[in-house]
Amino acid sequence: MSEVQPVRGTKDLIGEDARRHFHVVETARRIAATYGFDEWSTPVFEQTGVFARGLGDTSDVVMKEMYSFPDRGGESLTLRPEATAGICRALVSNGLTQSLPQKVFYTGPMFRYERPQKGRYRQFHQIDVEVLGSPEPLADAEVIACGWAILQALGVAKDVVLELNTLGDKESREAYRAALIAYFSAHRASLSEDSQARLERNPLRVVDSKDPGDKALVADAPTIYPYLNAASRGFYDTLRRHLDRIGVPVVENPRIVRGLDYYSHTAFEFVTSALGAQGTVLGGGRYDGLVEEMGGPHTPCVGWAAGVERLSMLLSAPPAAPRSVAVIPIGDAAEATGLDVVQALRAAGIRAEMAYRGNVKRRMERANKTGARAAVLLGEAEIARGVAQVKDLETGAQAEVPIAELVAKLA
């Protein structure tokens, strides 16, 4: 029988990888809570229509990358490729559109069938922050500030730049759309095949093309700024003032766009060059029409998603491995007391372990190998006197401590 390997594009999280991963998630969870976000959890799969609506049925994710399958009842289901669509579906399904705004933090695995590469997997993980039901630019500023605070708490903000753009409201976007069609139509023959197909239907997606030839044309394409009406310009100016007040540094990038009709106003990405070619580690924007796509009322929303794998790679060093106290009974009769001691330490919140087998030497070797900070040695003679030997495994110092005082000594 051949050796079983993980599925291509998946990765086990063990040791240092696990510590990096969970440090990112727990840091994000902690910071998001200080901003008033509550954590939600939705199913890992949804009806396929949830994502076809949420991502646009012509997007690359829907067309090429979704893990979709019929269940035994013949219904088409899809492993979630992103979180936002499921969050909006949950808002509608649970009748929460009457209790707005909702501030949501979310984390979990996502699934896309794409070519695996550095920092990108077919099962990957994201953290998400969403404000559902708030049309004010202050909501946009808050979600961006929360993302910035998470990057600062992780110690990676120095390697990251916030790039910001506006997509304006529907009126502004229609005027910009007409200008893009006119510009790209004059260069249609030089566009990639995909961009030629998208030109009439969704020219903003041409601006977002990754094709090198398209990028050269996009460099000279018109920006949206001349086409913003007064309301859109006011929204963007207010957001900029809020970000200045909060202290989030901003670089304007007019090439950040979102191709779907329900996106509006704010679009942003936190980008880095620390992982090689410039890449996005956290990105999002305002999406004021997605809840309606799910059958709910008009609900203005704004949020972002960040890749846990990429953030983990940015960490300068992994979090230290947790250090425990090794409880070592000497002789079979001491095992019962050892069990009492290890449970008392755990009840006090102290990480403690007791090896299941081996002589004292082997148990001490295991304690040193696992990085234990101290060893509690319990011999029968010491137990009779109500004491234990406590050895500091960093300094080698050893002292006799009453068993009743072990928790206080090792706290």
Side-chain angles (χ1 to χ4, degrees):
M1 181 177 178
S2 60
E3 183 181 354
V4 179
Q5 296 293 326
V7 174
R8 184 169 185 252
T10 65
K11 182 180 181 180
D12 299 312
L13 293 173
I14 297 171
E16 179 183 318
D17 288 338
R19 294 198 300 276
R20 285 178 178 268
H21 180 100
F22 293 115
H23 176 64
V24 169
V25 172
E26 289 304 317
T27 300
R29 178 178 282 125
R30 173 174 57 83
I31 297 298
T34 69
Y35 276 73
F37 290 89
D38 294 323
E39 187 163 357
W40 288 15
S41 180
T42 62
V44 77
F45 55 85
E46 300 268 3
Q47 296 174 1
T48 297
V50 169
F51 301 115
R53 288 192 188 101
L55 296 168
D57 58 10
T58 62
S59 74
D60 287 345
V61 173
V62 172
M63 297 286 288
K64 304 174 184 177
E65 297 173 3
M66 294 204 313
Y67 280 95
S68 298
F69 56 93
D71 69 2
R72 292 188 178 185
E75 184 174 22
S76 179
L77 303 178
T78 296
L79 296 177
R80 63 186 178 211
E82 55 88 47
T84 307
I87 291 171
C88 289
R89 191 274 309 152
L91 183 82
V92 175
S93 300
N94 291 280
L96 295 173
T97 56
Q98 303 302 312
S99 305
L100 299 174
Q102 295 282 335
K103 298 176 73 174
V104 181
F105 171 78
Y106 192 98
T107 184
M110 312 294 160
F111 305 86
R112 294 186 188 180
Y113 190 86
E114 55 185 348
R115 188 171 68 85
Q117 53 187 284
K118 184 178 180 181
R120 180 177 293 174
Y121 300 93
R122 290 178 174 176
Q123 176 179 304
F124 59 100
H125 301 79
Q126 286 186 338
I127 49 178
D128 279 64
V129 158
E130 315 285 347
V131 175
L132 311 172
S134 178
E136 298 83 6
L138 182 57
D140 305 52
E142 279 239 295
V143 299
I144 292 172
C146 182
W148 179 244
I150 290 169
L151 296 174
Q152 288 178 307
L154 290 170
V156 303
K158 64 184 184 302
D159 298 317
V160 176
V161 174
L162 169 62
E163 297 187 350
L164 181 70
N165 192 27
T166 178
L167 304 174
D169 60 12
K170 187 173 183 179
E171 179 184 81
S172 301
R173 214 160 42 255
E174 285 299 317
Y176 181 46
R177 184 177 183 274
L180 287 177
I181 291 175
Y183 171 78
F184 286 123
S185 294
H187 302 86
R188 178 185 288 273
S190 301
L191 289 172
S192 66
E193 186 176 333
D194 282 347
S195 289
Q196 288 184 30
R198 292 167 177 159
L199 177 56
E200 301 294 337
R201 186 174 65 248
N202 202 337
L204 265 70
R205 293 204 62 208
V206 180
V207 177
D208 199 33
S209 173
K210 303 300 185 287
D211 180 87
D214 291 346
K215 283 184 175 182
L217 290 174
V218 167
D220 294 323
T223 71
I224 196 171
Y225 302 133
Y227 304 93
L228 294 175
N229 57 22
S232 297
R233 171 59 65 183
F235 189 103
Y236 188 51
D237 289 345
T238 301
L239 171 59
R240 289 297 307 267
R241 286 197 300 272
H242 287 325
L243 292 175
D244 288 344
R245 182 82 179 183
I246 294 168
V248 182
V250 174
V251 174
E252 279 193 340
N253 181 350
R255 304 308 176 193
I256 297 176
V257 297
R258 302 285 184 264
L260 301 179
D261 287 343
Y262 53 73
Y263 282 107
S264 61
H265 294 296
T266 311
F268 64 91
E269 296 177 356
F270 284 92
V271 301
T272 182
S273 298
L275 300 177
Q278 186 183 74
T280 302
V281 293
L282 186 158
R286 176 164 283 278
Y287 50 101
D288 286 354
L290 181 54
V291 173
E292 286 180 85
E293 292 277 342
M294 301 296 167
H298 177 71
T299 307
C301 304
V302 61
W304 54 255
V308 176
E309 281 80 5
R310 287 195 172 187
L311 288 174
S312 298
M313 292 164 63
L314 281 177
L315 297 179
S316 58
R323 305 192 69 189
S324 61
V325 172
V327 177
I328 301 175
I330 302 170
D332 293 342
E335 193 167 84
T337 302
L339 188 57
D340 291 342
V341 168
V342 80
Q343 289 298 98
L345 292 170
R346 290 166 175 167
I350 299 169
R351 182 183 172 105
E353 297 181 78
M354 187 167 73
Y356 301 127
R357 66 173 69 89
N359 57 27
V360 174
K361 180 181 178 183
R362 293 193 64 179
R363 293 191 186 200
M364 285 296 293
E365 287 174 350
R366 172 174 170 74
N368 281 301
K369 185 176 181 180
T370 58
R373 61 186 175 91
V376 177
L377 296 103
L378 293 161
E380 293 176 18
E382 284 87 356
I383 291 171
R385 293 190 294 114
V387 300
Q389 296 293 328
V390 177
K391 183 172 185 178
D392 186 320
L393 295 181
E394 287 186 352
T395 66
Q398 185 166 316
E400 191 172 88
V401 178
I403 291 174
E405 296 176 14
L406 283 171
V407 169
K409 173 73 174 176
L410 293 166

